[in-house]
Amino acid sequence: MSYSVWSANSKVSGGALIAKLTYDNSLLISFFKQVANNSDKKNNFDFKNAINVKFSEDEMGDLIRAVRTNGTSKFYHTFKDEKTTGNFGYYEIKGEGDKPNRQGFGFSVTKGELTIKCGLSIGAAERFSEYLKFCLNKSFEFNYIEDLAKDKEFREKQKLAPKKEETSNPESESVGNVSD
């Protein structure tokens, strides 16, 4: 199961993200820069030059915390001598005139010369937080199932292992009461 956000705008400064849980219980998020604002929504994003970021379980927890507290989560990753930096944080833009304030969360990710920004409404950020919790739960379930299998294997080996009495020296064992 994946999660996506499509955050295009008229200034062509938006972005999109697609997140999915990986085989090793990390979260891979691919970020895509907005390159057009076509009304049919086709070809609005550059899918050839994505920035891919792999988040650990602790980093997922920090993203959840950022949503819960209207806070910020920052990250710094290196892979093959390339660095990727970014942040995910709450913002509020004061409304002009009779327009209400706008609130949301924004991802900003930079790799080399490429920076991609992707905005999430308050509702989208809550949904993202729930998706992150889902990913963490799947990771916990996987680890739990793995632990159960290892425990079962250990117990089966214990059953097959010779008992203490069977491994002791027969000459040193007491014969018991010989009264006959």
Side-chain angles (χ1 to χ4, degrees):
M1 178 176 139
S2 62
Y3 170 87
S4 61
V5 172
W6 306 91
S7 179
N9 61 45
S10 61
K11 297 177 189 173
V12 189
S13 62
L17 68 85
I18 298 174
K20 69 177 186 171
L21 188 62
T22 64
Y23 69 93
D24 63 353
N25 298 320
S26 298
L27 179 72
L28 177 64
I29 302 181
S30 298
F31 296 90
F32 307 97
K33 188 168 188 72
Q34 181 185 1
V35 293
N37 191 32
N38 299 318
S39 59
D40 63 1
K41 301 187 185 212
K42 292 185 179 182
N43 303 315
N44 281 346
F45 297 95
D46 178 6
F47 293 107
K48 293 179 183 170
N49 297 301
I51 297 177
N52 296 308
V53 183
K54 196 172 182 181
F55 291 89
S56 69
E57 291 172 329
D58 287 349
E59 289 172 315
M60 284 188 264
D62 195 44
L63 292 167
I64 292 167
R65 180 206 48 79
V67 172
R68 185 181 69 244
T69 64
N70 287 344
T72 300
S73 174
K74 295 184 180 199
F75 51 93
Y76 177 93
H77 293 201
T78 57
F79 181 72
K80 294 184 179 179
D81 295 330
E82 292 183 316
K83 71 177 180 175
T84 302
T85 61
N87 67 62
F88 172 75
Y90 174 79
Y91 67 82
E92 186 171 351
I93 299 172
K94 189 164 178 73
E96 295 178 15
D98 59 346
K99 290 184 180 179
N101 293 352
R102 291 185 331 190
Q103 300 172 329
F105 284 81
F107 260 114
S108 178
V109 182
T110 301
K111 182 176 182 180
E113 299 296 315
L114 180 61
T115 297
I116 300 174
K117 295 181 179 184
C118 185
L120 287 78
S121 67
I122 293 291
E126 284 294 327
R127 191 168 60 92
F128 181 56
S129 179
E130 290 300 316
Y131 178 74
L132 293 170
K133 291 174 188 176
F134 166 82
C135 290
L136 285 176
N137 282 327
K138 287 298 174 191
S139 176
F140 297 153
E141 285 175 19
F142 175 80
N143 289 332
Y144 176 68
I145 290 168
E146 206 172 57
D147 286 347
L148 286 177
K150 288 177 184 175
D151 186 50
K152 182 179 179 185
E153 181 183 329
F154 174 77
R155 285 182 282 124
E156 287 173 356
K157 283 182 183 178
Q158 291 298 328
K159 287 179 187 176
L160 297 175
K163 294 194 169 117
K164 202 172 195 181
E165 300 87 44
E166 295 172 5
T167 60
S168 61
N169 186 352
E171 295 175 357
S172 66
E173 287 187 48
S174 77
V175 178
N177 233 350
V178 185
S179 57
D180 295 335

